[in-house]
């Protein structure tokens, strides 16, 4: 396993549309391992491969692990798709490892049904609600070059982008 650098706004790679994974290879499994290590180190509860500059449709997630609770439930989602979504919406204060120290309320469907391939190559379907629904939608957005700030008003989005463009210009690194 290796720690990978998480890219930060305004890195243009965050706007790429990630490519489908054709086969679950050793390289994909190694990338997933690196993503888990980088996600836990951040710390975060989800991570999309594009956030470590790998434009492939791979997500890692662990909604269980908390500092010191000794539990974890690492999950990987390859080529995830939302196949249905509830009309009922849910608001969650979201953050993003690629937009550090900025949080905002985002409204998303409260429940989604997803189809994905796991690291053993099995195609699965699963219902998600609560934080799982929010997180998987946030991560699938990343695979499509969409950031949670894109769900905010243009004014708020422009303010955030301007702040991170200014920080990048002055070489301010978020650690
Ligand atoms: O994609 C990412 O940047 C990972 C996020 C996933 C996430 C965003 C919003 C809501 C839930 C999950 C990171 O884990 S950011 C850390 C975090 C954790 C819990 C709630 C909000 C943000
Ligand atoms: Zn994010």
């Amino acid at each position: 396993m290796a720690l990978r650098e998480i890219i930060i706004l305004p890195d243009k790679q965050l706007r790429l549309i990630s490519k489908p994974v054709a086969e679950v290879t050793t390289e994909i499994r190694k990338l997933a391992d690196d993503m888990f290590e980088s996600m836990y180190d951040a710390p975060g509860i989800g991570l999309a491969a594009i956030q470590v500059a790998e434009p492939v449709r791979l997500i890692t997630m662990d909604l269980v692990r908390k500092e010191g609770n000794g539990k974890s439930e690492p999950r990987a989602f390859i080529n995830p798709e939302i196949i249905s979504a509830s009309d009922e919406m849910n608001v969650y204060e979201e953050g993003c490892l690629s937009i550090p120290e900025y949080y905002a309320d985002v409204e998303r469907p409260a429940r989604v049904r997803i189809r994905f391939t796991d690291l053993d190559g099995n195609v699965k379907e699963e219902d998600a609600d609560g934080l799982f629904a929010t997180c998987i939608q946030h991560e699938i957005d990343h695979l499509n070059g969409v950031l949670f700030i894109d769900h905010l008003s243009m004014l708020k989005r422009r303010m955030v982008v301007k702040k991170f463009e200014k920080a990048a210009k002055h070489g301010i690194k978020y650690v």
Side-chain angles (χ1 to χ4, degrees):
M1 294 224 267
L3 269 182
R4 306 282 290 260
E5 184 182 349
I6 294 175
I7 61 176
I8 305 293
L9 190 71
D11 192 315
K12 295 218 178 309
Q13 294 178 93
L14 289 168
R15 293 308 187 175
L16 291 174
I17 295 179
S18 298
K19 294 199 177 344
V21 172
E23 189 192 347
V24 185
T25 60
T26 313
E27 291 72 26
I28 288 293
R29 290 197 179 90
K30 168 75 170 66
L31 174 57
D33 281 348
D34 291 355
M35 287 171 64
F36 279 118
E37 184 174 359
S38 307
M39 181 183 80
Y40 290 134
D41 179 72
I45 58 176
L47 194 67
I50 192 59
Q51 292 180 276
V52 292
E54 296 283 353
V56 294
R57 300 184 83 84
L58 170 62
I59 289 168
T60 55
M61 192 182 300
D62 189 333
L63 303 179
V64 169
R65 186 164 170 152
K66 291 257 183 319
E67 196 61 40
N69 75 357
K71 298 183 203 132
S72 75
E73 191 181 309
R75 301 199 63 187
F77 302 87
I78 298 167
N79 301 331
E81 305 163 72
I82 294 172
I83 53 180
S84 67
S86 62
D87 293 334
E88 185 192 347
M89 304 295 276
N90 187 16
V91 176
Y92 195 93
E93 186 185 46
E94 298 192 14
C96 182
L97 296 176
S98 297
I99 309 176
E101 298 165 26
Y102 181 75
Y103 300 90
D105 284 347
V106 177
E107 189 180 42
R108 298 182 189 268
R111 290 176 305 284
V112 290
R113 186 161 180 82
I114 58 171
R115 180 182 298 128
F116 63 95
T117 300
D118 67 16
L119 285 173
D120 296 321
N122 302 311
V123 178
K124 300 200 168 165
E125 286 191 11
E126 189 170 336
D127 293 320
D129 62 3
L131 182 55
F132 183 17
T134 294
C135 188
I136 197 71
Q137 292 176 81
H138 177 112
E139 303 307 341
I140 291 174
D141 266 358
H142 272 301
L143 302 183
N144 295 321
V146 175
L147 300 171
F148 82 96
I149 56 171
D150 298 333
H151 297 280
L152 308 180
S153 69
M154 190 186 290
L155 195 63
K156 278 187 183 171
R157 181 167 62 255
R158 281 184 173 165
M159 181 194 75
V160 176
V161 170
K162 213 172 175 63
K163 175 188 167 191
F164 281 83
E165 281 174 344
K166 194 172 172 195
K169 204 167 123 192
H170 292 88
I172 299 169
K173 279 192 81 71
Y174 288 86
V175 288

